[in-house]
Structures are given as structure tokens and as C-alpha cells.
Amino acid sequence: MTKKSLQHIFSAGLVLTAAIWGFAFVVVKESLDYMGPALMIAMRFSIATVCLSLIFLKRFALCTKKSILKGAVLGFFLFVAYFVQTLGCKYTTAGKNAFLTSVYVILIPLFLWPLEKKRPNFFVFLAALMAFTGIGLLALGTGDNLWAINKGDALTLLCGVFYALHIIGVSKFNEKEDPLLLTIIQFAFCSLFAWISATFTDGPIVLEQIANAKVIVPILYLGIFSTMVCFVLQNVGLKYVPSSLASLILSLESVFGVLFGILLLGEAFTIKTALGFLLIFAAIILAQEKSP
């Protein structure tokens, strides 16, 4: 099989990944009626941790104190990102949750500026301005409440900040650590932080609450498909698909999130909302295509 054929096959795999993640916004939105955000994250990442650990058991031979510490830091960033995103989804639409999360693509080069002393190019600043305008169209109110921002939108934007920090951390730590082992460790710590948080934020965990078909099915989807399968598809795909193209394909997650939100949840799609989505998506494409 030629290199070009492999690129086409794994590009399709990345589109599938974006679709699975996009549908996850609808699953999360619906599941929040039956469980708290911390419990959802705890169960989701516990499943992914156990499955990945069983598949890549031999990787634990590479485990050191440094890899555990790095995994703990990444697990914390991951937990906070998912927690505020999941909580935000409770107060906003699945479509807005998907698009506002995507701003991490633009934040990454801005966050790297002071860390690497490397000023982003003009297009990154242009993309940031476009995204900021798009966020205003999506998140700001109208009339007397023009400057009022929805609580869910604000939480989702905070999620984008922690996603950016998580991705930067992964790129730095992967230079000296095994990526698969580091992923398992960060998933494990994310689960741990979520279980601890659930006891304070979600109240007592009742067995009947977990053993509910309306909880089990979504959690299995989130744990196996949206977390474990997507992780494998993404990492294998990045071996055969150029990173610039891969990141562009994966950003379709936000588009799928909007489509599934409209089709399955009946979410409204106004001209103002459409303009906001288009500006943010155009900013994402610009930031990815023009990055050095």
C-alpha cells in the first residue's frame, strides 16, 4: 500500500475521530440530567485507564518517578479542562460548547510566546481577533444584557485555556517520556481527581444512579469510543497524516458538535450564531495553516 493511500485511510480515521468527539457533546449534554460532571469524568476516564492499561501493560516497565509526576500534572490540566467543559455544557448548547472549546488552537501559540521567547506571526494575532469577534457573537447577550455572558460559555472558554496548557505540557513531556505510558498515567490521575471532586461537588454516589441504562450506555460511549478509541485513531493517524492537515481535520469536531446539536437536540441556529461559528472556524483554519 502506497504512502498516499495510507494517508487517505488515516485521514478518514481522523474524520471519524472528529465525528465521535462531536457526537460526545450531545451525549454529555443529555447525560447531565442523570449524573454530575465530576462523576461522569471519573467513570469515563476510569474505563479508558483500565482498557489502555490492559492493552499496553508492558509499557509500565518504563515507569519512573518523573513520568508519574509529569502524568499527575497533565492529569490535573486534563481534569480541570474536562470538568469546566462538562459543567459548561449544562448551561449552554452542545454546539456552542464545541466551538468555544476550539479556541485552544489559537491560544497555544500565544501561550508559547513567553515560554519559548518566540513571537507568533501576524496571522495568529489576526486569528485571535477573528475568534474574539466570533466568541462575542456567540456568547454575548442582546439589548439591555448586551455585555452579559452566559455562565456555560464562560466555563467553556476556561476549558479552552486548560486544554491549551494540557497540549503544551504533552508536547514538552513527550520529548523524554513514552507517549502511551504518559497517556495512561494522566488518564489515571484525571480519574483520581474526578473521583475526589465528585464526593464534594456531586454529592453521595448512589449505586442505583450508576447502574442505570441511561448512565451506563453514555459512559461506555465516552470511555471506550470518545476517549480510548479516539486516542488510538489520533495517534496512529498522526504517523501518516501531516500535523497541519491532521489538526485541521480534527477541528471538524466543532462542526460535528453543532450539526448533532441541531439534528438531535433541536438547538436553535440563528444568523448571529452562524456568523460566530464561521468566524471561529475560519480563525482556527488560519491559525493552523499559517503556523510555522
Side-chain angles (χ1 to χ4, degrees), residues 27-29 31-32 35-45 86 202 219 222:
V27 174
V28 169
K29 181 73 176 177
S31 302
L32 285 170
M35 72 185 100
L39 179 60
M40 182 186 295
I41 296 166
M43 295 176 67
R44 168 182 182 169
F45 278 90
T86 306
D202 296 350
I219 286 299
L222 292 173

Side-chain angles (χ1 to χ4, degrees), residues 61-133:
L62 303 172
C63 191
T64 63
K65 289 182 179 179
K66 286 186 177 181
S67 58
I68 292 174
L69 180 61
K70 292 174 182 177
V73 172
L74 294 178
F76 175 75
F77 286 151
L78 195 61
F79 164 68
V80 176
Y82 268 94
F83 181 74
V84 294
Q85 181 194 52
T86 306
L87 187 60
C89 197
K90 189 175 182 178
Y91 302 104
T92 190
T93 66
K96 287 170 72 175
N97 195 243
F99 257 94
L100 292 175
T101 298
S102 301
V103 299
Y104 71 83
V105 175
I106 300 157
L107 292 176
I108 289 172
L110 296 177
F111 285 175
L112 285 173
W113 185 3
L115 292 175
E116 297 184 346
K117 310 298 183 186
K118 188 176 181 180
R119 184 179 180 275
N121 61 40
F122 166 77
F123 293 102
V124 171
F125 291 104
L126 179 59
L129 179 62
M130 290 168 62
F132 183 77
T133 305

Side-chain angles (χ1 to χ4, degrees), residues 15-31 35 40 43-45 47-48 51 82 213-231 233 253 256-257 260 264:
V15 172
L16 177 60
T17 299
I20 292 172
W21 278 340
F23 183 64
F25 287 100
V26 173
V27 174
V28 169
K29 181 73 176 177
E30 291 283 88
S31 302
M35 72 185 100
M40 182 186 295
M43 295 176 67
R44 168 182 182 169
F45 278 90
I47 291 170
C51 291
Y82 268 94
K214 292 182 178 179
V215 170
I216 293 173
V217 174
I219 286 299
L220 287 175
Y221 175 86
L222 292 173
I224 295 174
F225 292 99
S226 189
T227 305
M228 189 184 75
V229 171
C230 283
F231 160 76
L233 286 173
E253 165 195 5
F256 281 114
F260 287 130
L264 301 177

Side-chain angles (χ1 to χ4, degrees), residues 96 99-100 103 106-107 110 124-141 146-147 149 153 157 271-284 286:
K96 287 170 72 175
F99 257 94
L100 292 175
V103 299
I106 300 157
L107 292 176
L110 296 177
V124 171
F125 291 104
L126 179 59
L129 179 62
M130 290 168 62
F132 183 77
T133 305
I135 289 167
L137 288 171
L138 286 182
L140 296 180
L146 178 61
W147 299 108
I149 185 168
D153 296 337
L157 288 171
I271 294 177
K272 178 172 172 281
T273 303
L275 287 173
F277 287 154
L278 285 172
L279 273 172
I280 293 174
F281 192 58
I284 293 168
L286 183 64

